[in-house]
Amino acid sequence: VSTCRDLVRILAAARRHRRILAALQAPSFSLAHPGGGKTFMNNHNKLLGDYDAAPVGKTGYTRAARHCFAGFFQRDGRTYYVACMGSGRFWPDLRVLTGISQN
């Protein structure tokens, strides 16, 4: 069981790693296997690239928490973290939480 605070703490630690940060910011990426081969991954962050301060982060889903997101964005030289769990209007809610209204 995790809280929004837990997710933000995990994300804050993970974003200090160059490869993790690059994967969170990319629309897609690949993971190389030690024995050869690759796994291709698509980023499910629908806000990525929508606007300058779009949150970078990780989506998730469980039955108990429903759709979840933990992310961060930068505005005016400051970093802000945002976490959302159990939303029925997931992406519109994140637009509100990040201060960007939907057109």
Side-chain angles (χ1 to χ4, degrees):
V1 176
S2 297
T3 65
C4 285
R5 177 180 276 177
D6 295 335
L7 295 179
V8 166
R9 285 180 176 164
I10 292 167
L11 179 66
R15 75 177 274 246
R16 292 192 298 257
H17 297 274
R18 178 181 51 86
R19 288 185 180 172
I20 294 174
L21 183 59
L24 292 174
Q25 294 173 323
S28 63
F29 59 94
S30 63
L31 300 171
H33 298 263
K38 291 183 179 181
T39 299
F40 293 94
M41 308 287 289
N42 289 316
N43 192 329
H44 296 284
N45 181 350
K46 292 183 180 183
L47 301 181
L48 192 63
D50 268 8
Y51 50 91
D52 290 342
V56 173
K58 176 69 181 92
T59 59
Y61 180 85
T62 66
R63 284 185 183 172
R66 299 180 44 197
H67 292 281
C68 303
F69 181 83
F72 67 93
F73 62 97
Q74 296 181 343
R75 184 178 296 137
D76 301 325
R78 297 187 70 178
T79 300
Y80 297 90
Y81 288 89
V82 61
C84 183
M85 292 178 156
S87 172
R89 299 172 4 100
F90 187 62
W91 297 110
D93 286 349
L94 279 170
R95 287 181 180 276
V96 171
L97 287 171
T98 58
I100 304 298
S101 61
Q102 193 168 6
N103 294 340

